Amino acid sequence: MTWRNALAGALAPAGGLTRLLSRPLGQNLLTLVALGLMIIVIAAPLDLEQQMLFTAACMAAALLLRRRANRLAILAMIVMSVIASLRYMYWRVTSSLGFENLLDMLFGYGLVLAELYALLVLLLGYLQTAWPLQRRPYPLPRDTALWPTVDVYIPTYNEPLEIIKLTAFAAQAIDWPKDKLNVYVLDDGRREEFRDFCAEAGIGYIIRPDNFHAKAGNLNHALKLTHGDYIAIFDADHVPTRSFLQVGMGWFLRDPKLAMLQTPHFFFSPDPFEKNLDTFRSVPNEGELFYGLVQDGNDLWNATFFCGSCAIIKRGPLEEVGGIAVETVTEDAHTALKLNRLGYNTAYLALPQAAGLATESLSGHIGQRIRWARGMAQIFRTDNPLLGKGLKLGQRLCYLNAMLHFFYGLPRLVFLTAPLAYLFFGAQIFQAEALLILAYALPHILIASVTNSTIQGRFRHSFWNEVYEAVLAWYIMRPVLLAMVNPKLGKFNVTAKGGVIDKSYFDWKMARPYIVVLALNVLGVLAGLWKLGFDPEVSVATVLINLTWTFYNIVISAASVAVAAEARQIRAEPRVYAELPATLSLANGKTIVCRTNDFSQRGIGIALPEGAHVERGEQLLVSLFRDNEECVFPAVVMFSRDGVLGLNFLELNLEQQRELTRMTFSRADTWAATWGQGAVDTPLGALAEVSSIGWRGLRLLSRATFVELRTRLRIPSLHLRSTPRNP
């Protein structure tokens, strides 16, 4: 499906236009006319008053279209945003680059290059997200004899056994004919307790003599030893629902050329941003935009990325491309690229059918993103999607945007420091009047912000992208640049999951770059105020524009600092919030009908009905229900207050652990009911939210600095008192 087909569908009520668009000549004519009009609008010379009127008209139209927010309105907003952005960039390169000295040239061209990068990513992003395919499950044949055989792979290296147990039990519980479902734990750690567990649980256990090519090598080794028609892959911490295969497998039977189907990565624990900023389930996390919208948009262009887990792959095509790619550290995306190059289709189903653990610490999160960034740069360098055979234009551009995304490190740092060039050194990075800069820049910035908010509102709130990128910019910049020079540099690193953080602390090492950027911008504000007060030759409007930009950078960098304040996390198995029917059977024979508040592998939270009470320390039986099925688990009350119980399960045998997983984590509706259901973005509300977090970051930094200074000042005196005197 092309954009022209999509547009024709949107305009279906206009019958004559639809018939015209259905013909190649009409499509080409429409394209030429549209491009001609766009060029005229982009290049039209306007004076200051005319440009301000143009800005006001565009903003008014964008706000009116935002209220409709249907597909046709979104396409119109995208067109307006593209015109406003290209018009700004045309003016920028033709009218604002007359630099008079080396300093202006250095800072000015640096900013222009960063702006060109941002514009390219913006345009490619619109291509990806303008028309999400919104694929729905395709029904399987009623005759289960026609259903194919599936091998479930669970690769592991250093994850604890308790994490593997949960995933393995859930994989066994998948609703699929048992003679056509085989579950395998692929243990690159070669641990005896894993072997024993698999033998007891009836799960296949596969090891290999080496660890070559890390996860990719582990999967490829298993590929040689198993024989299922399809392979479902789950990371060690990703727990599938019972409906996983029934929801996703139908598309393979409908499309013989389909080689891979990906489902979202959903996390039932908060990532470091959500945990440290206390935004879990209230603000979409960093990955939700990709899985909620970008992948759905990629699906329109047949360019869905394989993401390493929560996916189904057809064995034949996978073997045809030589198995999982081993040339880069992002073996998953590279594998999808290889499949697409051979003419196979890839698909995305935007329905969470598995959930896992997010990274616990900021350092672990950054390490994971470094690997992703390095791997995408390696693919860009060694298997560039713009080059080579087998890909259509839409596929090439989708892959290109995914790889260019991780080059944001240097441009983001440029944007965070650009106004300092003028405030510190007087560098004129714009050779134009201040009001004229505003007249051209504002529609570019504001219309793009409103358009992206309308498109992404469920999965990304405004201004949060700047926070995510600011935190990661310094750390991914070097690996990306090195990978472009030498793609063989770097190795696959396993992201640690399932750990705990015993106490809260401020991660000075991770925060150091943000603190430097924050300090520079604070100094920039002081320099700007000095210019306003004591430099009569400066342009007040120019200083105010740069000060406004600097204040915004302070908000973003201060919010980045707040992320480095690691919050305590004492649960290795996070609780999942869910209201499920339950019954408590007490030792005295009394029965209490109630509901759950949350659950984990080790315990469950219960909301008692009014008037009911259970004493702390009492042993009881808790029953969980699914349809007409009941499963009973022994437990002890660890907490009892205000009608809320905290229960810990007593020692459960293997079958009880399996049933507990099936009744909780494996429920088909466990994750889908909450995904993408948070508050929709409002730009002003998001700005207030990020500003509040920035203020919090300043307070946390002040407190951490005070504690650090107090600790350092105490060390010498304590040392002197503890040192024995010489006789």
Side-chain angles (χ1 to χ4, degrees), residues 87-117:
R87 180 170 174 78
Y88 165 76
M89 192 54 62
Y90 177 80
W91 170 83
R92 185 81 167 92
V93 298
T94 59
S95 305
S96 71
L97 300 183
F99 302 119
E100 298 178 354
N101 56 64
L102 183 61
L103 188 66
D104 291 356
M105 189 180 298
L106 177 65
F107 289 115
Y109 281 123
L111 179 59
V112 168
L113 290 174
E115 288 180 297
L116 286 171
Y117 166 84

PDB file of all heavy atoms in Angstrom, residues 87-117:
ATOM      1  N   ARG A  87      10.250  25.663   4.368  1.00  0.00           N
ATOM      2  CA  ARG A  87      10.331  27.106   4.148  1.00  0.00           C
ATOM      3  C   ARG A  87      11.366  27.726   5.095  1.00  0.00           C
ATOM      4  O   ARG A  87      12.174  28.560   4.675  1.00  0.00           O
ATOM      5  CB  ARG A  87       8.967  27.751   4.364  1.00  0.00           C
ATOM      6  CG  ARG A  87       8.957  29.251   4.148  1.00  0.00           C
ATOM      7  CD  ARG A  87       7.547  29.824   4.121  1.00  0.00           C
ATOM      8  NE  ARG A  87       7.591  31.278   4.065  1.00  0.00           N
ATOM      9  CZ  ARG A  87       7.842  31.978   2.963  1.00  0.00           C
ATOM     10  NH1 ARG A  87       8.044  31.343   1.819  1.00  0.00           N
ATOM     11  NH2 ARG A  87       7.884  33.290   2.994  1.00  0.00           N
ATOM     12  N   TYR A  88      11.354  27.300   6.366  1.00  0.00           N
ATOM     13  CA  TYR A  88      12.352  27.792   7.313  1.00  0.00           C
ATOM     14  C   TYR A  88      13.762  27.417   6.854  1.00  0.00           C
ATOM     15  O   TYR A  88      14.670  28.249   6.859  1.00  0.00           O
ATOM     16  CB  TYR A  88      12.084  27.231   8.710  1.00  0.00           C
ATOM     17  CG  TYR A  88      13.271  27.392   9.644  1.00  0.00           C
ATOM     18  CD1 TYR A  88      13.577  28.622  10.197  1.00  0.00           C
ATOM     19  CD2 TYR A  88      14.098  26.303   9.943  1.00  0.00           C
ATOM     20  CE1 TYR A  88      14.676  28.779  11.040  1.00  0.00           C
ATOM     21  CE2 TYR A  88      15.187  26.445  10.782  1.00  0.00           C
ATOM     22  CZ  TYR A  88      15.477  27.681  11.316  1.00  0.00           C
ATOM     23  OH  TYR A  88      16.580  27.836  12.138  1.00  0.00           O
ATOM     24  N   MET A  89      13.954  26.148   6.463  1.00  0.00           N
ATOM     25  CA  MET A  89      15.291  25.718   6.087  1.00  0.00           C
ATOM     26  C   MET A  89      15.757  26.401   4.810  1.00  0.00           C
ATOM     27  O   MET A  89      16.945  26.719   4.658  1.00  0.00           O
ATOM     28  CB  MET A  89      15.320  24.196   5.935  1.00  0.00           C
ATOM     29  CG  MET A  89      16.721  23.616   5.823  1.00  0.00           C
ATOM     30  SD  MET A  89      17.847  24.115   7.189  1.00  0.00           S
ATOM     31  CE  MET A  89      16.990  23.412   8.599  1.00  0.00           C
ATOM     32  N   TYR A  90      14.830  26.639   3.862  1.00  0.00           N
ATOM     33  CA  TYR A  90      15.191  27.367   2.650  1.00  0.00           C
ATOM     34  C   TYR A  90      15.657  28.774   3.006  1.00  0.00           C
ATOM     35  O   TYR A  90      16.686  29.250   2.489  1.00  0.00           O
ATOM     36  CB  TYR A  90      13.984  27.419   1.703  1.00  0.00           C
ATOM     37  CG  TYR A  90      14.233  28.219   0.442  1.00  0.00           C
ATOM     38  CD1 TYR A  90      14.930  27.658  -0.625  1.00  0.00           C
ATOM     39  CD2 TYR A  90      13.760  29.530   0.320  1.00  0.00           C
ATOM     40  CE1 TYR A  90      15.158  28.387  -1.789  1.00  0.00           C
ATOM     41  CE2 TYR A  90      13.985  30.263  -0.831  1.00  0.00           C
ATOM     42  CZ  TYR A  90      14.684  29.695  -1.879  1.00  0.00           C
ATOM     43  OH  TYR A  90      14.923  30.423  -3.020  1.00  0.00           O
ATOM     44  N   TRP A  91      14.892  29.444   3.856  1.00  0.00           N
ATOM     45  CA  TRP A  91      15.311  30.780   4.302  1.00  0.00           C
ATOM     46  C   TRP A  91      16.638  30.720   5.059  1.00  0.00           C
ATOM     47  O   TRP A  91      17.503  31.580   4.898  1.00  0.00           O
ATOM     48  CB  TRP A  91      14.230  31.373   5.209  1.00  0.00           C
ATOM     49  CG  TRP A  91      14.665  32.626   5.896  1.00  0.00           C
ATOM     50  CD1 TRP A  91      14.651  33.883   5.403  1.00  0.00           C
ATOM     51  CD2 TRP A  91      15.192  32.731   7.227  1.00  0.00           C
ATOM     52  NE1 TRP A  91      15.139  34.775   6.328  1.00  0.00           N
ATOM     53  CE2 TRP A  91      15.480  34.089   7.465  1.00  0.00           C
ATOM     54  CE3 TRP A  91      15.447  31.807   8.239  1.00  0.00           C
ATOM     55  CZ2 TRP A  91      16.004  34.549   8.672  1.00  0.00           C
ATOM     56  CZ3 TRP A  91      15.981  32.259   9.436  1.00  0.00           C
ATOM     57  CH2 TRP A  91      16.252  33.606   9.649  1.00  0.00           C
ATOM     58  N   ARG A  92      16.792  29.678   5.862  1.00  0.00           N
ATOM     59  CA  ARG A  92      18.001  29.541   6.686  1.00  0.00           C
ATOM     60  C   ARG A  92      19.259  29.464   5.827  1.00  0.00           C
ATOM     61  O   ARG A  92      20.250  30.143   6.123  1.00  0.00           O
ATOM     62  CB  ARG A  92      17.872  28.270   7.542  1.00  0.00           C
ATOM     63  CG  ARG A  92      18.998  28.062   8.546  1.00  0.00           C
ATOM     64  CD  ARG A  92      18.789  28.863   9.774  1.00  0.00           C
ATOM     65  NE  ARG A  92      19.701  28.426  10.838  1.00  0.00           N
ATOM     66  CZ  ARG A  92      20.909  28.968  11.046  1.00  0.00           C
ATOM     67  NH1 ARG A  92      21.328  29.962  10.284  1.00  0.00           N
ATOM     68  NH2 ARG A  92      21.667  28.516  12.023  1.00  0.00           N
ATOM     69  N   VAL A  93      19.224  28.650   4.773  1.00  0.00           N
ATOM     70  CA  VAL A  93      20.443  28.446   3.990  1.00  0.00           C
ATOM     71  C   VAL A  93      20.636  29.518   2.928  1.00  0.00           C
ATOM     72  O   VAL A  93      21.751  29.680   2.413  1.00  0.00           O
ATOM     73  CB  VAL A  93      20.452  27.051   3.322  1.00  0.00           C
ATOM     74  CG1 VAL A  93      20.420  25.957   4.356  1.00  0.00           C
ATOM     75  CG2 VAL A  93      19.297  26.881   2.359  1.00  0.00           C
ATOM     76  N   THR A  94      19.589  30.277   2.608  1.00  0.00           N
ATOM     77  CA  THR A  94      19.715  31.301   1.571  1.00  0.00           C
ATOM     78  C   THR A  94      19.835  32.713   2.129  1.00  0.00           C
ATOM     79  O   THR A  94      20.320  33.609   1.426  1.00  0.00           O
ATOM     80  CB  THR A  94      18.515  31.263   0.609  1.00  0.00           C
ATOM     81  OG1 THR A  94      17.296  31.471   1.343  1.00  0.00           O
ATOM     82  CG2 THR A  94      18.462  29.932  -0.134  1.00  0.00           C
ATOM     83  N   SER A  95      19.399  32.925   3.386  1.00  0.00           N
ATOM     84  CA  SER A  95      19.322  34.300   3.886  1.00  0.00           C
ATOM     85  C   SER A  95      19.947  34.532   5.248  1.00  0.00           C
ATOM     86  O   SER A  95      19.894  35.660   5.745  1.00  0.00           O
ATOM     87  CB  SER A  95      17.850  34.745   3.930  1.00  0.00           C
ATOM     88  OG  SER A  95      17.228  34.601   2.677  1.00  0.00           O
ATOM     89  N   SER A  96      20.495  33.521   5.895  1.00  0.00           N
ATOM     90  CA  SER A  96      20.975  33.728   7.267  1.00  0.00           C
ATOM     91  C   SER A  96      22.387  33.202   7.500  1.00  0.00           C
ATOM     92  O   SER A  96      22.796  33.027   8.655  1.00  0.00           O
ATOM     93  CB  SER A  96      20.013  33.051   8.269  1.00  0.00           C
ATOM     94  OG  SER A  96      20.110  31.645   8.194  1.00  0.00           O
ATOM     95  N   LEU A  97      23.150  32.949   6.428  1.00  0.00           N
ATOM     96  CA  LEU A  97      24.470  32.336   6.580  1.00  0.00           C
ATOM     97  C   LEU A  97      25.620  33.226   6.107  1.00  0.00           C
ATOM     98  O   LEU A  97      26.701  32.718   5.834  1.00  0.00           O
ATOM     99  CB  LEU A  97      24.517  30.992   5.831  1.00  0.00           C
ATOM    100  CG  LEU A  97      23.515  29.932   6.270  1.00  0.00           C
ATOM    101  CD1 LEU A  97      23.731  28.638   5.493  1.00  0.00           C
ATOM    102  CD2 LEU A  97      23.613  29.658   7.764  1.00  0.00           C
ATOM    103  N   GLY A  98      25.413  34.503   6.042  1.00  0.00           N
ATOM    104  CA  GLY A  98      26.490  35.398   5.606  1.00  0.00           C
ATOM    105  C   GLY A  98      27.471  35.700   6.732  1.00  0.00           C
ATOM    106  O   GLY A  98      27.597  36.852   7.178  1.00  0.00           O
ATOM    107  N   PHE A  99      28.197  34.690   7.192  1.00  0.00           N
ATOM    108  CA  PHE A  99      29.080  34.838   8.351  1.00  0.00           C
ATOM    109  C   PHE A  99      30.285  35.693   8.004  1.00  0.00           C
ATOM    110  O   PHE A  99      30.879  35.573   6.919  1.00  0.00           O
ATOM    111  CB  PHE A  99      29.529  33.471   8.862  1.00  0.00           C
ATOM    112  CG  PHE A  99      28.386  32.574   9.248  1.00  0.00           C
ATOM    113  CD1 PHE A  99      28.174  31.359   8.608  1.00  0.00           C
ATOM    114  CD2 PHE A  99      27.503  32.952  10.236  1.00  0.00           C
ATOM    115  CE1 PHE A  99      27.122  30.541   8.958  1.00  0.00           C
ATOM    116  CE2 PHE A  99      26.439  32.137  10.598  1.00  0.00           C
ATOM    117  CZ  PHE A  99      26.244  30.930   9.955  1.00  0.00           C
ATOM    118  N   GLU A 100      30.706  36.544   8.968  1.00  0.00           N
ATOM    119  CA  GLU A 100      31.770  37.517   8.727  1.00  0.00           C
ATOM    120  C   GLU A 100      33.099  37.136   9.350  1.00  0.00           C
ATOM    121  O   GLU A 100      34.107  37.760   9.052  1.00  0.00           O
ATOM    122  CB  GLU A 100      31.326  38.882   9.257  1.00  0.00           C
ATOM    123  CG  GLU A 100      30.081  39.429   8.558  1.00  0.00           C
ATOM    124  CD  GLU A 100      29.626  40.753   9.125  1.00  0.00           C
ATOM    125  OE1 GLU A 100      30.221  41.190  10.144  1.00  0.00           O
ATOM    126  OE2 GLU A 100      28.676  41.342   8.571  1.00  0.00           O
ATOM    127  N   ASN A 101      33.118  36.137  10.240  1.00  0.00           N
ATOM    128  CA  ASN A 101      34.378  35.733  10.846  1.00  0.00           C
ATOM    129  C   ASN A 101      34.363  34.234  11.119  1.00  0.00           C
ATOM    130  O   ASN A 101      33.319  33.573  11.006  1.00  0.00           O
ATOM    131  CB  ASN A 101      34.669  36.518  12.130  1.00  0.00           C
ATOM    132  CG  ASN A 101      33.538  36.400  13.159  1.00  0.00           C
ATOM    133  OD1 ASN A 101      33.263  35.309  13.649  1.00  0.00           O
ATOM    134  ND2 ASN A 101      32.900  37.520  13.469  1.00  0.00           N
ATOM    135  N   LEU A 102      35.531  33.710  11.484  1.00  0.00           N
ATOM    136  CA  LEU A 102      35.684  32.272  11.680  1.00  0.00           C
ATOM    137  C   LEU A 102      34.832  31.754  12.830  1.00  0.00           C
ATOM    138  O   LEU A 102      34.260  30.666  12.743  1.00  0.00           O
ATOM    139  CB  LEU A 102      37.158  31.942  11.927  1.00  0.00           C
ATOM    140  CG  LEU A 102      37.499  30.445  12.081  1.00  0.00           C
ATOM    141  CD1 LEU A 102      37.137  29.695  10.795  1.00  0.00           C
ATOM    142  CD2 LEU A 102      38.987  30.262  12.401  1.00  0.00           C
ATOM    143  N   LEU A 103      34.713  32.541  13.912  1.00  0.00           N
ATOM    144  CA  LEU A 103      33.927  32.105  15.063  1.00  0.00           C
ATOM    145  C   LEU A 103      32.455  31.949  14.692  1.00  0.00           C
ATOM    146  O   LEU A 103      31.822  30.940  15.023  1.00  0.00           O
ATOM    147  CB  LEU A 103      34.088  33.102  16.210  1.00  0.00           C
ATOM    148  CG  LEU A 103      33.487  32.690  17.559  1.00  0.00           C
ATOM    149  CD1 LEU A 103      34.238  31.483  18.130  1.00  0.00           C
ATOM    150  CD2 LEU A 103      33.519  33.863  18.538  1.00  0.00           C
ATOM    151  N   ASP A 104      31.904  32.948  14.018  1.00  0.00           N
ATOM    152  CA  ASP A 104      30.515  32.856  13.571  1.00  0.00           C
ATOM    153  C   ASP A 104      30.318  31.664  12.646  1.00  0.00           C
ATOM    154  O   ASP A 104      29.313  30.950  12.727  1.00  0.00           O
ATOM    155  CB  ASP A 104      30.114  34.137  12.838  1.00  0.00           C
ATOM    156  CG  ASP A 104      30.030  35.344  13.764  1.00  0.00           C
ATOM    157  OD1 ASP A 104      30.219  35.158  14.988  1.00  0.00           O
ATOM    158  OD2 ASP A 104      29.796  36.457  13.266  1.00  0.00           O
ATOM    159  N   MET A 105      31.269  31.457  11.752  1.00  0.00           N
ATOM    160  CA  MET A 105      31.175  30.365  10.793  1.00  0.00           C
ATOM    161  C   MET A 105      31.197  29.018  11.501  1.00  0.00           C
ATOM    162  O   MET A 105      30.405  28.119  11.177  1.00  0.00           O
ATOM    163  CB  MET A 105      32.338  30.458   9.794  1.00  0.00           C
ATOM    164  CG  MET A 105      32.240  29.499   8.626  1.00  0.00           C
ATOM    165  SD  MET A 105      33.645  29.663   7.495  1.00  0.00           S
ATOM    166  CE  MET A 105      33.404  31.363   6.981  1.00  0.00           C
ATOM    167  N   LEU A 106      32.075  28.860  12.491  1.00  0.00           N
ATOM    168  CA  LEU A 106      32.205  27.593  13.205  1.00  0.00           C
ATOM    169  C   LEU A 106      30.907  27.229  13.914  1.00  0.00           C
ATOM    170  O   LEU A 106      30.368  26.127  13.730  1.00  0.00           O
ATOM    171  CB  LEU A 106      33.357  27.680  14.201  1.00  0.00           C
ATOM    172  CG  LEU A 106      33.594  26.448  15.083  1.00  0.00           C
ATOM    173  CD1 LEU A 106      34.015  25.263  14.220  1.00  0.00           C
ATOM    174  CD2 LEU A 106      34.637  26.747  16.161  1.00  0.00           C
ATOM    175  N   PHE A 107      30.392  28.151  14.718  1.00  0.00           N
ATOM    176  CA  PHE A 107      29.162  27.870  15.461  1.00  0.00           C
ATOM    177  C   PHE A 107      27.941  27.866  14.550  1.00  0.00           C
ATOM    178  O   PHE A 107      27.018  27.066  14.725  1.00  0.00           O
ATOM    179  CB  PHE A 107      28.976  28.898  16.579  1.00  0.00           C
ATOM    180  CG  PHE A 107      29.941  28.756  17.716  1.00  0.00           C
ATOM    181  CD1 PHE A 107      30.874  29.749  17.990  1.00  0.00           C
ATOM    182  CD2 PHE A 107      29.916  27.629  18.514  1.00  0.00           C
ATOM    183  CE1 PHE A 107      31.767  29.618  19.037  1.00  0.00           C
ATOM    184  CE2 PHE A 107      30.808  27.489  19.577  1.00  0.00           C
ATOM    185  CZ  PHE A 107      31.732  28.488  19.831  1.00  0.00           C
ATOM    186  N   GLY A 108      27.935  28.755  13.567  1.00  0.00           N
ATOM    187  CA  GLY A 108      26.777  28.863  12.690  1.00  0.00           C
ATOM    188  C   GLY A 108      26.569  27.644  11.821  1.00  0.00           C
ATOM    189  O   GLY A 108      25.457  27.090  11.760  1.00  0.00           O
ATOM    190  N   TYR A 109      27.630  27.178  11.155  1.00  0.00           N
ATOM    191  CA  TYR A 109      27.496  25.992  10.318  1.00  0.00           C
ATOM    192  C   TYR A 109      27.262  24.733  11.154  1.00  0.00           C
ATOM    193  O   TYR A 109      26.583  23.802  10.713  1.00  0.00           O
ATOM    194  CB  TYR A 109      28.721  25.828   9.427  1.00  0.00           C
ATOM    195  CG  TYR A 109      28.707  26.732   8.222  1.00  0.00           C
ATOM    196  CD1 TYR A 109      29.743  27.632   7.980  1.00  0.00           C
ATOM    197  CD2 TYR A 109      27.647  26.690   7.320  1.00  0.00           C
ATOM    198  CE1 TYR A 109      29.725  28.468   6.870  1.00  0.00           C
ATOM    199  CE2 TYR A 109      27.628  27.525   6.207  1.00  0.00           C
ATOM    200  CZ  TYR A 109      28.655  28.412   5.993  1.00  0.00           C
ATOM    201  OH  TYR A 109      28.627  29.247   4.895  1.00  0.00           O
ATOM    202  N   GLY A 110      27.820  24.692  12.368  1.00  0.00           N
ATOM    203  CA  GLY A 110      27.549  23.563  13.261  1.00  0.00           C
ATOM    204  C   GLY A 110      26.070  23.447  13.583  1.00  0.00           C
ATOM    205  O   GLY A 110      25.491  22.353  13.563  1.00  0.00           O
ATOM    206  N   LEU A 111      25.431  24.600  13.852  1.00  0.00           N
ATOM    207  CA  LEU A 111      23.997  24.591  14.132  1.00  0.00           C
ATOM    208  C   LEU A 111      23.190  24.234  12.890  1.00  0.00           C
ATOM    209  O   LEU A 111      22.210  23.471  12.977  1.00  0.00           O
ATOM    210  CB  LEU A 111      23.560  25.957  14.672  1.00  0.00           C
ATOM    211  CG  LEU A 111      22.070  26.107  14.988  1.00  0.00           C
ATOM    212  CD1 LEU A 111      21.612  25.083  16.027  1.00  0.00           C
ATOM    213  CD2 LEU A 111      21.750  27.526  15.468  1.00  0.00           C
ATOM    214  N   VAL A 112      23.574  24.734  11.738  1.00  0.00           N
ATOM    215  CA  VAL A 112      22.851  24.418  10.504  1.00  0.00           C
ATOM    216  C   VAL A 112      22.876  22.926  10.214  1.00  0.00           C
ATOM    217  O   VAL A 112      21.864  22.327   9.837  1.00  0.00           O
ATOM    218  CB  VAL A 112      23.433  25.210   9.313  1.00  0.00           C
ATOM    219  CG1 VAL A 112      22.889  24.676   7.988  1.00  0.00           C
ATOM    220  CG2 VAL A 112      23.086  26.674   9.447  1.00  0.00           C
ATOM    221  N   LEU A 113      24.023  22.296  10.392  1.00  0.00           N
ATOM    222  CA  LEU A 113      24.119  20.857  10.164  1.00  0.00           C
ATOM    223  C   LEU A 113      23.221  20.091  11.122  1.00  0.00           C
ATOM    224  O   LEU A 113      22.571  19.109  10.735  1.00  0.00           O
ATOM    225  CB  LEU A 113      25.576  20.402  10.303  1.00  0.00           C
ATOM    226  CG  LEU A 113      26.538  20.858   9.203  1.00  0.00           C
ATOM    227  CD1 LEU A 113      27.971  20.457   9.540  1.00  0.00           C
ATOM    228  CD2 LEU A 113      26.118  20.271   7.856  1.00  0.00           C
ATOM    229  N   ALA A 114      23.180  20.518  12.383  1.00  0.00           N
ATOM    230  CA  ALA A 114      22.288  19.877  13.353  1.00  0.00           C
ATOM    231  C   ALA A 114      20.829  20.067  12.956  1.00  0.00           C
ATOM    232  O   ALA A 114      20.008  19.147  13.083  1.00  0.00           O
ATOM    233  CB  ALA A 114      22.540  20.438  14.751  1.00  0.00           C
ATOM    234  N   GLU A 115      20.484  21.244  12.449  1.00  0.00           N
ATOM    235  CA  GLU A 115      19.117  21.514  12.009  1.00  0.00           C
ATOM    236  C   GLU A 115      18.759  20.670  10.791  1.00  0.00           C
ATOM    237  O   GLU A 115      17.630  20.173  10.684  1.00  0.00           O
ATOM    238  CB  GLU A 115      18.957  22.999  11.689  1.00  0.00           C
ATOM    239  CG  GLU A 115      18.948  23.891  12.920  1.00  0.00           C
ATOM    240  CD  GLU A 115      18.796  25.357  12.551  1.00  0.00           C
ATOM    241  OE1 GLU A 115      19.685  25.891  11.866  1.00  0.00           O
ATOM    242  OE2 GLU A 115      17.792  25.962  12.935  1.00  0.00           O
ATOM    243  N   LEU A 116      19.678  20.507   9.865  1.00  0.00           N
ATOM    244  CA  LEU A 116      19.424  19.667   8.696  1.00  0.00           C
ATOM    245  C   LEU A 116      19.186  18.218   9.098  1.00  0.00           C
ATOM    246  O   LEU A 116      18.302  17.545   8.552  1.00  0.00           O
ATOM    247  CB  LEU A 116      20.597  19.763   7.719  1.00  0.00           C
ATOM    248  CG  LEU A 116      20.707  21.068   6.925  1.00  0.00           C
ATOM    249  CD1 LEU A 116      22.033  21.125   6.166  1.00  0.00           C
ATOM    250  CD2 LEU A 116      19.539  21.206   5.946  1.00  0.00           C
ATOM    251  N   TYR A 117      19.968  17.733  10.063  1.00  0.00           N
ATOM    252  CA  TYR A 117      19.753  16.386  10.567  1.00  0.00           C
ATOM    253  C   TYR A 117      18.357  16.271  11.185  1.00  0.00           C
ATOM    254  O   TYR A 117      17.616  15.311  10.903  1.00  0.00           O
ATOM    255  CB  TYR A 117      20.822  16.026  11.608  1.00  0.00           C
ATOM    256  CG  TYR A 117      20.484  14.790  12.417  1.00  0.00           C
ATOM    257  CD1 TYR A 117      20.766  13.526  11.923  1.00  0.00           C
ATOM    258  CD2 TYR A 117      19.852  14.898  13.655  1.00  0.00           C
ATOM    259  CE1 TYR A 117      20.446  12.389  12.648  1.00  0.00           C
ATOM    260  CE2 TYR A 117      19.526  13.767  14.390  1.00  0.00           C
ATOM    261  CZ  TYR A 117      19.814  12.522  13.883  1.00  0.00           C
ATOM    262  OH  TYR A 117      19.477  11.400  14.614  1.00  0.00           O
TER     263      TYR A 117
END
